[in-house]
Amino acid sequence: MTLLDTDAIKNIMGAAFAPIIGTGQLIRIDMVRQTGGTYLPVEQPPVAVSVQVDRCDEAMRQSPGYTAEDVKLIVLQAGVEGRAPNTDDVIEARGERWKAVSVRTDPASSHWVIHATKQASEA
């Protein structure tokens, strides 16, 4: 067994960085199949996360649909239960709602890197 086979690095990174980066909420969205084959997005209760909002990296800027308002979100995995975020999910950070465009994890599984686009406000 190696460090990468345990939660050790995830917990170390969480303990070290959670106090100095921002807080936010992960809102998992379940797509519930409706009669007729359509899907309805259903928000689950928010999960508190530690999140850093940053500028998109070069790969994100080259992706289809990129806009100047897109961001890179670094979300610590420590303390987050349940499934990993996916492209149905929303992250609230810095008073904004961000829709995940892509999600990847680092090799040590200490954080997720999320390319996100600002979600339109509901008026």
Side-chain angles (χ1 to χ4, degrees), residues 39-109:
Y39 287 87
L40 178 68
V42 177
E43 288 189 7
Q44 298 305 307
V47 175
V49 294
S50 296
V51 57
Q52 172 69 37
V53 180
D54 207 347
R55 291 186 300 232
C56 286
D57 58 34
E58 185 62 26
M60 292 173 181
R61 288 191 295 271
Q62 297 302 319
S63 65
Y66 167 79
T67 72
E69 289 189 322
D70 287 6
V71 295
K72 174 171 53 175
L73 302 173
I74 301 170
V75 179
L76 297 180
Q77 291 186 23
V80 179
E81 299 296 324
R83 69 167 171 79
N86 65 38
T87 56
D88 292 327
D89 297 338
V90 172
I91 297 86
E92 288 184 354
R94 291 189 181 170
E96 300 283 350
R97 284 176 62 102
W98 303 95
K99 174 82 168 87
V101 174
S102 67
V103 180
R104 67 181 193 268
T105 190
D106 72 299
S109 297

Coordinates of all heavy atoms in Angstrom, one line a residue, residues 39-109:
Y39 N -35.7 14.6 -18.9 CA -35.0 14.6 -17.7 C -35.2 15.9 -17.0 O -35.1 17.0 -17.6 CB -33.5 14.3 -17.8 CG -33.2 12.9 -18.2 CD1 -33.2 12.4 -19.5 CD2 -32.9 12.0 -17.2 CE1 -33.0 11.1 -19.8 CE2 -32.7 10.6 -17.5 CZ -32.7 10.2 -18.8 OH -32.5 8.9 -19.1
L40 N -35.4 15.9 -15.7 CA -35.6 17.1 -14.9 C -34.5 17.2 -13.9 O -34.2 16.3 -13.2 CB -36.9 17.0 -14.1 CG -37.3 18.1 -13.2 CD1 -37.6 19.4 -14.0 CD2 -38.5 17.7 -12.3
P41 N -33.8 18.4 -13.9 CA -32.7 18.5 -12.9 C -33.2 18.8 -11.5 O -34.1 19.6 -11.3 CB -31.9 19.7 -13.5 CG -32.9 20.5 -14.3 CD -33.9 19.5 -14.8
V42 N -32.7 18.0 -10.6 CA -33.2 18.1 -9.2 C -32.0 18.4 -8.3 O -31.0 17.6 -8.3 CB -33.9 16.9 -8.7 CG1 -34.3 17.0 -7.2 CG2 -35.1 16.6 -9.6
E43 N -31.9 19.6 -7.7 CA -30.8 20.0 -6.8 C -30.9 19.2 -5.5 O -31.9 19.1 -4.9 CB -30.8 21.5 -6.5 CG -30.5 22.3 -7.6 CD -30.3 23.8 -7.2 OE1 -30.3 24.1 -6.0 OE2 -30.1 24.6 -8.2
Q44 N -29.7 18.7 -5.1 CA -29.6 18.0 -3.8 C -29.2 19.1 -2.8 O -28.7 20.1 -3.1 CB -28.6 16.9 -3.9 CG -29.0 15.8 -4.9 CD -30.4 15.2 -4.6 OE1 -30.7 14.8 -3.4 NE2 -31.3 15.3 -5.6
P45 N -29.3 18.8 -1.5 CA -28.8 19.7 -0.5 C -27.4 20.1 -0.7 O -26.5 19.2 -1.0 CB -29.0 19.0 0.8 CG -30.1 17.9 0.5 CD -29.8 17.6 -0.9
P46 N -27.0 21.3 -0.5 CA -25.6 21.8 -0.7 C -24.7 21.1 0.3 O -25.0 20.8 1.4 CB -25.6 23.3 -0.6 CG -27.0 23.6 0.0 CD -27.9 22.4 -0.1
V47 N -23.4 20.9 -0.2 CA -22.3 20.4 0.6 C -21.3 21.4 0.7 O -20.8 22.0 -0.3 CB -21.7 19.1 -0.1 CG1 -20.5 18.6 0.7 CG2 -22.8 18.0 -0.3
A48 N -20.9 21.8 2.0 CA -19.8 22.8 2.2 C -18.5 22.3 1.6 O -18.1 21.1 1.8 CB -19.7 23.1 3.6
V49 N -17.8 23.1 0.9 CA -16.5 22.8 0.3 C -15.5 23.9 0.5 O -15.9 25.1 0.7 CB -16.6 22.4 -1.2 CG1 -17.4 21.1 -1.4 CG2 -17.2 23.6 -2.0
S50 N -14.3 23.6 0.4 CA -13.2 24.6 0.3 C -12.9 24.8 -1.2 O -12.6 23.8 -1.8 CB -12.0 24.2 1.1 OG -12.3 24.1 2.5
V51 N -12.9 26.0 -1.7 CA -12.8 26.2 -3.1 C -12.0 27.5 -3.4 O -12.1 28.5 -2.8 CB -14.2 26.3 -3.8 CG1 -15.0 27.4 -3.2 CG2 -14.0 26.4 -5.3
Q52 N -11.1 27.3 -4.4 CA -10.3 28.5 -4.8 C -10.8 28.8 -6.2 O -10.9 27.9 -7.1 CB -8.8 28.1 -4.9 CG -7.9 29.1 -5.6 CD -7.8 30.4 -4.8 OE1 -7.7 30.3 -3.5 NE2 -7.7 31.5 -5.4
V53 N -11.1 30.1 -6.5 CA -11.5 30.5 -7.8 C -10.3 31.1 -8.5 O -9.6 32.0 -7.9 CB -12.6 31.6 -7.7 CG1 -13.1 32.0 -9.1 CG2 -13.8 31.0 -6.9
D54 N -10.0 30.6 -9.7 CA -8.8 31.1 -10.4 C -9.1 31.3 -11.9 O -10.2 30.9 -12.4 CB -7.7 30.0 -10.3 CG -6.3 30.5 -10.3 OD1 -6.1 31.7 -10.8 OD2 -5.4 29.7 -10.0
R55 N -8.1 31.8 -12.6 CA -8.3 32.0 -14.1 C -8.1 30.6 -14.7 O -7.4 29.7 -14.2 CB -7.2 32.9 -14.6 CG -7.4 34.3 -14.2 CD -6.4 35.2 -14.9 NE -5.1 34.8 -14.5 CZ -4.1 35.6 -14.0 NH1 -4.3 36.9 -13.9 NH2 -2.9 35.1 -13.7
C56 N -8.8 30.5 -15.8 CA -8.7 29.2 -16.6 C -7.3 29.0 -17.1 O -6.6 30.0 -17.4 CB -9.7 29.3 -17.8 SG -11.4 29.1 -17.3
D57 N -6.9 27.7 -17.2 CA -5.6 27.4 -17.8 C -5.7 27.4 -19.3 O -6.8 27.5 -19.8 CB -5.1 26.1 -17.2 CG -6.0 24.9 -17.4 OD1 -6.7 24.8 -18.4 OD2 -6.0 24.0 -16.5
E58 N -4.6 27.2 -19.9 CA -4.6 27.2 -21.4 C -5.5 26.1 -22.0 O -6.3 26.4 -23.0 CB -3.2 27.0 -21.9 CG -3.1 27.1 -23.4 CD -3.4 28.5 -24.0 OE1 -3.3 29.5 -23.2 OE2 -3.8 28.6 -25.2
A59 N -5.5 24.9 -21.5 CA -6.4 23.9 -22.0 C -7.9 24.3 -21.9 O -8.7 24.0 -22.8 CB -6.2 22.6 -21.3
M60 N -8.3 24.9 -20.8 CA -9.6 25.3 -20.7 C -10.0 26.4 -21.7 O -11.1 26.5 -22.2 CB -9.9 25.8 -19.2 CG -9.8 24.8 -18.2 SD -9.9 25.5 -16.5 CE -9.8 24.0 -15.5
R61 N -9.0 27.4 -21.9 CA -9.3 28.5 -22.8 C -9.4 27.9 -24.3 O -10.1 28.6 -25.1 CB -8.2 29.5 -22.7 CG -8.3 30.3 -21.5 CD -7.3 31.5 -21.5 NE -5.9 31.1 -21.5 CZ -5.2 31.0 -20.5 NH1 -5.7 31.1 -19.3 NH2 -3.9 30.6 -20.6
Q62 N -8.8 26.8 -24.6 CA -8.9 26.2 -25.9 C -10.2 25.3 -26.1 O -10.4 24.9 -27.2 CB -7.7 25.4 -26.2 CG -6.4 26.2 -26.2 CD -6.4 27.4 -27.2 OE1 -6.9 27.2 -28.3 NE2 -5.9 28.5 -26.8
S63 N -10.9 25.1 -25.0 CA -12.0 24.2 -25.1 C -13.2 24.8 -25.8 O -13.4 26.0 -25.7 CB -12.5 23.6 -23.8 OG -12.9 24.7 -23.0
P64 N -14.0 24.1 -26.6 CA -15.2 24.6 -27.2 C -16.2 25.3 -26.2 O -16.4 24.8 -25.2 CB -15.9 23.4 -27.9 CG -14.8 22.3 -27.9 CD -13.9 22.6 -26.8
G65 N -16.7 26.4 -26.6 CA -17.6 27.1 -25.8 C -17.0 28.0 -24.7 O -17.8 28.6 -23.9
Y66 N -15.7 28.1 -24.6 CA -15.0 28.9 -23.6 C -15.5 30.4 -23.7 O -15.6 30.9 -24.8 CB -13.5 28.8 -23.8 CG -12.8 29.9 -23.0 CD1 -12.6 29.7 -21.6 CD2 -12.3 31.0 -23.6 CE1 -11.9 30.7 -20.9 CE2 -11.7 32.0 -22.8 CZ -11.5 31.8 -21.5 OH -10.8 32.8 -20.7
T67 N -15.7 31.0 -22.6 CA -16.0 32.4 -22.5 C -15.1 33.1 -21.6 O -14.5 32.5 -20.7 CB -17.5 32.7 -22.1 OG1 -17.6 32.5 -20.7 CG2 -18.5 31.9 -22.8
A68 N -14.9 34.4 -21.7 CA -14.0 35.2 -20.9 C -14.4 35.1 -19.4 O -13.6 35.4 -18.5 CB -13.9 36.6 -21.4
E69 N -15.7 34.8 -19.1 CA -16.1 34.7 -17.7 C -15.9 33.3 -17.1 O -16.1 33.2 -15.9 CB -17.6 35.0 -17.6 CG -17.9 36.5 -17.9 CD -19.4 36.8 -17.6 OE1 -20.3 36.0 -17.9 OE2 -19.6 37.9 -17.0
D70 N -15.4 32.4 -17.8 CA -15.2 31.0 -17.3 C -14.1 31.1 -16.3 O -13.2 32.0 -16.3 CB -14.8 30.1 -18.4 CG -16.0 29.7 -19.3 OD1 -17.1 30.2 -19.1 OD2 -15.8 28.8 -20.2
V71 N -14.1 30.2 -15.3 CA -13.1 30.1 -14.3 C -12.6 28.7 -14.1 O -13.3 27.7 -14.5 CB -13.6 30.6 -12.9 CG1 -13.9 32.1 -13.0 CG2 -14.8 29.8 -12.4
K72 N -11.5 28.6 -13.4 CA -11.0 27.3 -12.9 C -11.3 27.3 -11.4 O -10.9 28.2 -10.7 CB -9.5 27.1 -13.1 CG -8.9 25.8 -12.5 CD -7.5 25.5 -12.9 CE -6.5 26.6 -12.7 NZ -5.1 26.2 -13.0
L73 N -12.0 26.2 -10.9 CA -12.3 26.1 -9.5 C -11.4 24.9 -9.0 O -11.4 23.8 -9.6 CB -13.8 25.7 -9.3 CG -14.8 26.8 -9.8 CD1 -16.2 26.3 -9.7 CD2 -14.6 28.1 -9.1
I74 N -10.7 25.1 -7.9 CA -10.0 24.1 -7.3 C -10.7 23.7 -6.0 O -10.8 24.6 -5.1 CB -8.5 24.5 -7.0 CG1 -7.9 24.8 -8.3 CG2 -7.8 23.4 -6.3 CD1 -6.5 25.5 -8.2
V75 N -11.3 22.6 -5.9 CA -12.1 22.2 -4.8 C -11.4 21.0 -4.1 O -11.2 20.0 -4.6 CB -13.5 21.7 -5.3 CG1 -14.4 21.2 -4.1 CG2 -14.2 22.8 -6.1
L76 N -11.1 21.3 -2.8 CA -10.5 20.2 -2.0 C -11.5 19.1 -1.7 O -12.6 19.3 -1.5 CB -10.1 20.8 -0.6 CG -9.0 21.9 -0.7 CD1 -8.7 22.4 0.7 CD2 -7.7 21.5 -1.4
Q77 N -10.9 17.9 -1.8 CA -11.8 16.7 -1.6 C -12.0 16.3 -0.1 O -12.9 15.6 0.2 CB -11.2 15.5 -2.3 CG -11.3 15.6 -3.9 CD -10.8 14.4 -4.6 OE1 -10.8 13.3 -4.0 NE2 -10.4 14.5 -5.8
A78 N -11.1 16.8 0.7 CA -11.1 16.4 2.2 C -12.5 16.8 2.7 O -13.0 17.9 2.6 CB -10.0 17.1 2.9
G79 N -13.1 15.9 3.4 CA -14.4 16.1 4.0 C -15.6 16.1 3.1 O -16.8 16.2 3.6
V80 N -15.5 15.9 1.8 CA -16.6 15.8 0.9 C -17.0 14.4 0.7 O -16.2 13.6 0.2 CB -16.2 16.5 -0.5 CG1 -17.4 16.4 -1.4 CG2 -15.8 17.9 -0.3
E81 N -18.2 14.0 1.2 CA -18.7 12.7 1.1 C -19.5 12.5 -0.2 O -20.0 13.5 -0.8 CB -19.6 12.4 2.3 CG -18.9 12.5 3.6 CD -17.8 11.4 3.8 OE1 -18.0 10.3 3.3 OE2 -16.8 11.8 4.4
G82 N -19.7 11.3 -0.6 CA -20.5 11.0 -1.8 C -19.7 11.1 -3.1 O -18.5 11.1 -3.1
R83 N -20.5 11.1 -4.2 CA -19.8 11.1 -5.5 C -19.0 12.3 -5.8 O -19.3 13.4 -5.3 CB -20.9 10.8 -6.6 CG -21.8 11.9 -6.8 CD -22.6 11.7 -8.1 NE -23.7 12.7 -8.3 CZ -23.5 13.9 -8.7 NH1 -22.3 14.4 -9.0 NH2 -24.6 14.7 -8.9
A84 N -18.1 12.2 -6.7 CA -17.3 13.3 -7.2 C -18.3 14.2 -8.0 O -19.3 13.8 -8.6 CB -16.2 12.8 -8.1
P85 N -17.9 15.5 -8.1 CA -18.7 16.4 -9.0 C -18.7 16.0 -10.4 O -17.7 15.3 -10.9 CB -18.0 17.8 -8.8 CG -17.1 17.6 -7.7 CD -16.8 16.2 -7.5
N86 N -19.7 16.3 -11.1 CA -19.7 16.0 -12.6 C -20.3 17.2 -13.3 O -20.6 18.2 -12.7 CB -20.5 14.7 -12.9 CG -22.0 14.8 -12.5 OD1 -22.6 15.8 -12.7 ND2 -22.5 13.7 -12.0
T87 N -20.5 17.1 -14.6 CA -20.9 18.3 -15.4 C -22.4 18.6 -15.2 O -22.8 19.6 -15.9 CB -20.6 18.0 -16.9 OG1 -21.2 16.8 -17.3 CG2 -19.1 18.0 -17.1
D88 N -23.1 17.9 -14.4 CA -24.5 18.4 -14.1 C -24.5 19.3 -12.9 O -25.5 20.0 -12.6 CB -25.4 17.2 -13.8 CG -25.6 16.3 -15.0 OD1 -25.7 16.8 -16.1 OD2 -25.7 15.1 -14.8
D89 N -23.4 19.3 -12.2 CA -23.3 20.0 -10.9 C -23.0 21.5 -10.9 O -22.5 22.0 -11.9 CB -22.3 19.3 -9.9 CG -22.8 17.9 -9.6 OD1 -24.0 17.5 -9.8 OD2 -21.9 17.1 -9.3
V90 N -23.3 22.2 -9.8 CA -23.1 23.6 -9.7 C -22.2 23.8 -8.4 O -22.4 23.1 -7.4 CB -24.4 24.3 -9.5 CG1 -24.3 25.8 -9.2 CG2 -25.3 24.2 -10.8
I91 N -21.4 24.8 -8.5 CA -20.6 25.2 -7.3 C -20.8 26.7 -7.0 O -20.8 27.5 -7.9 CB -19.0 25.0 -7.5 CG1 -18.7 23.5 -7.7 CG2 -18.2 25.5 -6.4 CD1 -18.9 23.0 -9.1
E92 N -21.2 27.0 -5.8 CA -21.3 28.4 -5.4 C -20.0 28.8 -4.7 O -19.5 28.1 -3.8 CB -22.5 28.5 -4.4 CG -23.8 28.3 -5.0 CD -25.0 28.6 -4.1 OE1 -24.7 28.8 -2.9 OE2 -26.1 28.6 -4.5
A93 N -19.5 29.9 -5.2 CA -18.2 30.5 -4.7 C -18.2 32.0 -5.0 O -18.6 32.4 -6.1 CB -17.0 29.8 -5.3
R94 N -17.7 32.7 -4.0 CA -17.6 34.2 -4.2 C -18.9 34.8 -4.6 O -19.0 35.8 -5.4 CB -16.5 34.6 -5.2 CG -15.1 34.3 -4.7 CD -14.2 34.9 -5.7 NE -12.8 34.6 -5.3 CZ -11.8 34.8 -6.1 NH1 -11.9 35.4 -7.3 NH2 -10.6 34.6 -5.7
G95 N -20.0 34.3 -4.1 CA -21.3 34.9 -4.3 C -21.9 34.6 -5.7 O -22.9 35.2 -6.1
E96 N -21.3 33.7 -6.5 CA -21.7 33.4 -7.8 C -22.0 31.9 -7.9 O -21.5 31.1 -7.1 CB -20.6 33.7 -8.8 CG -20.2 35.1 -8.9 CD -21.2 36.0 -9.6 OE1 -22.1 35.5 -10.3 OE2 -21.0 37.2 -9.6
R97 N -22.8 31.5 -8.8 CA -23.1 30.1 -9.1 C -22.3 29.7 -10.4 O -22.5 30.4 -11.4 CB -24.6 29.8 -9.3 CG -25.3 29.8 -8.0 CD -26.8 29.6 -8.1 NE -27.2 28.4 -8.8 CZ -27.7 27.3 -8.1 NH1 -27.8 27.4 -6.8 NH2 -28.1 26.3 -8.8
W98 N -21.6 28.6 -10.3 CA -20.8 28.2 -11.5 C -21.2 26.8 -11.9 O -21.3 25.9 -11.1 CB -19.3 28.2 -11.1 CG -18.8 29.5 -10.6 CD1 -18.7 29.9 -9.3 CD2 -18.3 30.6 -11.4 NE1 -18.2 31.2 -9.3 CE2 -18.0 31.6 -10.5 CE3 -18.2 30.8 -12.8 CZ2 -17.5 32.9 -11.0 CZ3 -17.7 32.0 -13.2 CH2 -17.4 33.0 -12.3
K99 N -21.5 26.6 -13.2 CA -21.9 25.3 -13.7 C -20.6 24.6 -14.2 O -19.8 25.2 -15.0 CB -22.8 25.6 -14.9 CG -23.2 24.3 -15.7 CD -24.3 23.6 -15.0 CE -24.9 22.5 -15.8 NZ -24.2 21.2 -15.7
A100 N -20.4 23.4 -13.8 CA -19.2 22.6 -14.2 C -19.3 22.3 -15.7 O -20.3 21.8 -16.2 CB -19.1 21.3 -13.4
V101 N -18.2 22.6 -16.4 CA -18.1 22.2 -17.8 C -17.2 20.9 -17.9 O -17.6 20.1 -18.7 CB -17.4 23.4 -18.6 CG1 -17.1 23.0 -20.0 CG2 -18.2 24.7 -18.5
S102 N -16.2 20.8 -17.1 CA -15.4 19.6 -17.1 C -14.9 19.5 -15.6 O -14.7 20.5 -14.9 CB -14.3 19.6 -18.1 OG -13.3 20.6 -17.7
V103 N -14.6 18.2 -15.3 CA -14.1 17.9 -13.9 C -13.0 16.9 -14.1 O -13.1 15.9 -14.7 CB -15.2 17.4 -13.0 CG1 -14.6 17.0 -11.6 CG2 -16.4 18.3 -12.9
R104 N -11.8 17.2 -13.4 CA -10.8 16.2 -13.3 C -10.2 16.2 -11.9 O -10.4 17.2 -11.2 CB -9.7 16.5 -14.4 CG -8.9 17.7 -14.2 CD -7.9 17.9 -15.3 NE -6.9 18.9 -15.1 CZ -7.0 20.2 -15.4 NH1 -8.0 20.6 -16.1 NH2 -6.0 21.0 -15.1
T105 N -9.5 15.2 -11.6 CA -8.9 15.1 -10.3 C -7.4 15.0 -10.4 O -6.9 14.6 -11.4 CB -9.4 13.9 -9.5 OG1 -9.0 14.0 -8.1 CG2 -9.0 12.6 -10.1
D106 N -6.7 15.4 -9.4 CA -5.2 15.3 -9.4 C -4.8 13.9 -9.1 O -5.7 13.1 -8.6 CB -4.6 16.3 -8.4 CG -4.8 15.8 -6.9 OD1 -6.0 15.7 -6.5 OD2 -3.8 15.6 -6.2
P107 N -3.6 13.4 -9.4 CA -3.2 12.0 -9.2 C -3.3 11.6 -7.7 O -3.6 10.4 -7.5 CB -1.8 12.0 -9.7 CG -1.7 13.1 -10.6 CD -2.6 14.2 -10.1
A108 N -3.2 12.5 -6.8 CA -3.3 12.1 -5.4 C -4.7 12.1 -4.8 O -4.9 11.8 -3.7 CB -2.3 13.0 -4.5
S109 N -5.6 12.5 -5.6 CA -7.0 12.6 -5.2 C -7.2 13.6 -4.1 O -8.0 13.3 -3.2 CB -7.6 11.3 -4.9 OG -7.6 10.5 -6.1

